Structures are given as C-alpha cells and as structure tokens.
Amino acid sequence: MFITYILYTAQLDKFYIGHTGKNAAVRLSEHLSDHKGFTAKAKDWCIVYTEQFATKAEAFKRERQLKGWKSNIRIRQLIQRS
C-alpha cells in the first residue's frame, strides 16, 4: 500500500505534499526529525490528508496532480471534503 499525503504547518501556514510506501505516522516523524529540506523549516507539521493507492506509480501521479494545482484554496477544499 502507498499513500499520498498532505502535511500542514501553522507556523509557516504552508502545505507539503508527498507520497510514500511507509506508514503515514512514520513518514511524519521523519519530516519532524533533524534534516535539511523544506519540512526542516518548521517543527509543527501534522498530517491533514491521506489517500491510499495500490501502486507507487498511482501515488506519485496523485502527488504530481495535487502539486500542479498550485492553489492553497483548492487544497483546503479537498481537505475539508474528506
């Protein structure tokens, strides 16, 4: 099982979209650990949305679709509908 997920940080008022084959909670802990990259800028990330897929390719395709929206309003609407 693979998931596409959306994280949110109130500190930055930003979303992060990704996909993984790991458990969502495990992946979140990796984002919160000391590392470099976009999610290292804040330590209050939380999972606000997930979708499950049978293959990595499907999860990656959905991630690219969501990133292509480039609209926080549209992402917020998706999260509210779930």
Side-chain angles (χ1 to χ4, degrees):
M1 190 64 56
F2 296 87
I3 62 165
T4 298
Y5 61 91
I6 301 175
L7 304 180
Y8 176 75
T9 172
Q11 179 182 347
L12 302 175
D13 192 28
K14 298 280 185 186
F15 292 101
Y16 177 86
I17 302 168
H19 77 282
T20 186
K22 299 177 182 179
N23 177 286
V26 170
R27 187 65 183 115
L28 175 62
S29 69
E30 292 174 353
H31 282 291
L32 295 173
S33 68
D34 290 334
H35 70 287
K36 295 180 180 177
F38 181 77
T39 58
K41 297 176 184 178
K43 294 297 179 197
D44 68 333
W45 293 100
C46 61
I47 300 169
V48 293
Y49 183 79
T50 62
E51 284 183 41
Q52 294 185 352
F53 297 93
T55 68
K56 183 177 181 176
E58 291 172 314
F60 180 67
K61 181 178 178 182
R62 181 61 167 158
E63 174 189 344
R64 302 307 304 164
Q65 179 185 36
L66 295 175
K67 286 182 174 180
W69 287 357
K70 301 207 182 291
S71 167
N72 280 351
I73 294 170
R74 202 164 166 194
I75 291 170
R76 288 178 196 276
Q77 289 172 343
L78 173 68
I79 293 164
Q80 288 174 351
R81 284 194 310 263
S82 68

